Amino acid sequence: MAITRAVYTSAENLPEPLWKENQLRWARPSTVPRVDAPADAPPVVILPGFGNATTDYTAPFGNEEAAIATRLAVRGWRPFVVPVERKDWFKVARAIFTRKFWSSQLTTEPGYTWYLERVADTVEQALRETGAAQVVLVGHSAGGWLGRAYLADPRYQHQDGAGGDDAATSAAASNSASAAAATSRPPPGTQGSRPNPRVRAMVTLGTPQRPPPAEKKRDMTGGAQGWVDRSYPGARFAEAGVRYVTVCGRTVRGHREFPRQRKGPRIPEEYAYDSYTEVCGDGEGIEGDCVVPLGSALLPGARHVILDGVYHSMSRIGTFDEESGVVWYGSEDVLDAWLAPLVDELQQEPGPGRARSGNAEVLVARAGAEGQELVA
């Protein structure tokens, strides 16, 4: 099998790789250097994905050295992870008891307000502890579209910028000044028209940017995900200076046989088929990171980074407590492949950004017939 050595910047006209059992294997291109943080790099705020906890990014499976936060810190970045416990995701169920959920008309309120409040508090913590004026948001999976929601939500653009609805932050609003500021803020789920000035860049890692077509599958967020994507389509605030980088693996091609011919747990191509069907309404022959399809993860107008052979999560498919044994976006061997485009974006001249067509050329390399590296 040819070893895949690929990092691409466009999903259009991708070279066809040599699939083996509908999977690709990652091998780091020799042209990708280690990427240390520039001297003036903003702190990084990591937004956990749905079902994930803070520890998945600070000490996965009890191993702090293997954490994406540690690997960023070793490179000179200053990481902060939004505090989330796995049980916190049950709060999303608040939305199920509303009529708007069943008609797919929800905003981020009430299911995700708790999460956005914590993002806001973590951003303020990062700015306070580092003295920086802006942060880079790095959203993994659902953390990406929720980061897009925070970016434009006017509720978090007041002077102190913090959340306040969680028990952890309610004490901070006990004095009259804080209470007055809290009551003057827009209600949760208010559509915004400008980006939060605290955010310099938005990076998404394997994020389902939009819900599936209504005629194919139900929006399992009750409309919240669709509302975010309609309210802030594509790289909505690129012209206002926000830099966008969207990253996705091309790793597993979905496939299922009906009726199923094999016994036992789902193999990756079967898991991918089921997951892609939930995310975009189709699974057969669809390519992605084993959880999110490539077509759902790339944000129009953003800088695209496509990584052959990189999986969605640090956990084994279908679990949160077993190590995957494969590379994901936060792996030591993968991290620099998307940090390099991020640094390039951060080093652009301040001011309005540039929307991208998504038709850029191959960024680094692809594998040849015998596995040799072909530099484009």
Side-chain angles (χ1 to χ4, degrees), residues 25-312:
R25 183 160 59 97
W26 165 263
R28 181 189 176 109
S30 61
T31 49
V32 174
R34 174 184 164 114
V35 180
D36 291 326
D40 57 350
V44 173
V45 174
I46 300 172
L47 284 63
F50 189 91
N52 286 111
T54 301
T55 53
D56 293 334
Y57 307 89
T58 58
F61 319 107
N63 185 357
E64 187 174 338
E65 291 185 1
I68 184 174
T70 301
R71 288 166 175 161
L72 287 169
V74 167
R75 288 166 168 79
W77 299 85
R78 296 167 291 177
F80 295 79
V81 183
V82 175
V84 177
E85 295 183 40
R86 243 175 277 288
K87 65 181 181 181
D88 288 330
W89 291 101
F90 287 110
K91 297 178 182 181
V92 173
R94 297 169 180 170
I96 296 177
F97 302 103
T98 67
R99 295 179 63 182
K100 287 186 175 181
F101 176 87
W102 299 104
S103 58
S104 296
Q105 295 180 329
L106 285 178
T107 68
T108 50
E109 167 70 11
Y112 300 94
T113 298
W114 65 274
Y115 187 98
L116 298 183
E117 299 285 347
R118 295 191 190 181
V119 174
D121 291 338
T122 307
V123 168
E124 294 308 306
Q125 176 192 1
L127 298 181
R128 184 174 60 251
E129 293 186 9
T130 65
Q134 293 181 302
V135 303
V136 172
L137 299 181
V138 175
H140 174 225
S141 198
W145 69 264
L146 287 167
R148 292 167 59 202
Y150 163 80
L151 174 61
D153 195 323
R155 182 173 175 82
Y156 310 112
Q157 296 183 22
H158 59 289
Q159 187 173 3
D160 65 27
D165 283 356
D166 266 1
T169 60
S170 61
S174 60
N175 63 67
S176 58
S178 297
T183 57
S184 67
R185 291 188 294 158
T190 299
Q191 183 174 344
S193 59
R194 60 187 178 89
N196 195 314
R198 298 169 179 81
V199 179
R200 178 79 174 95
M202 176 82 237
V203 179
T204 65
L205 308 175
T207 290
Q209 306 286 4
R210 59 198 66 86
E215 67 273 14
K216 292 185 176 181
K217 293 291 293 186
R218 176 183 176 80
D219 179 356
M220 298 308 293
T221 68
Q225 186 183 30
W227 176 79
V228 170
D229 195 55
R230 290 190 306 274
S231 298
Y232 320 115
R236 172 67 177 80
F237 299 108
E239 292 301 319
V242 178
R243 309 294 173 175
Y244 289 83
V245 179
T246 55
V247 187
C248 189
R250 181 176 65 158
T251 307
V252 182
R253 186 166 54 185
H255 174 66
R256 254 193 184 280
E257 294 181 348
F258 295 95
R260 190 170 187 253
Q261 301 299 310
R262 58 183 297 119
K263 297 181 180 180
R266 290 176 292 177
I267 59 177
E269 64 185 37
E270 293 175 326
Y271 185 92
Y273 176 96
D274 293 341
S275 184
Y276 299 164
T277 300
E278 289 299 317
V279 174
C280 74
D282 294 303
E284 187 63 36
I286 301 298
E287 301 169 358
D289 66 6
C290 199
V291 175
V292 175
L294 193 59
S296 298
L298 300 179
L299 201 60
R303 184 161 185 164
H304 296 169
V305 181
I306 301 166
L307 306 173
D308 279 354
V310 174
Y311 283 79
H312 183 82

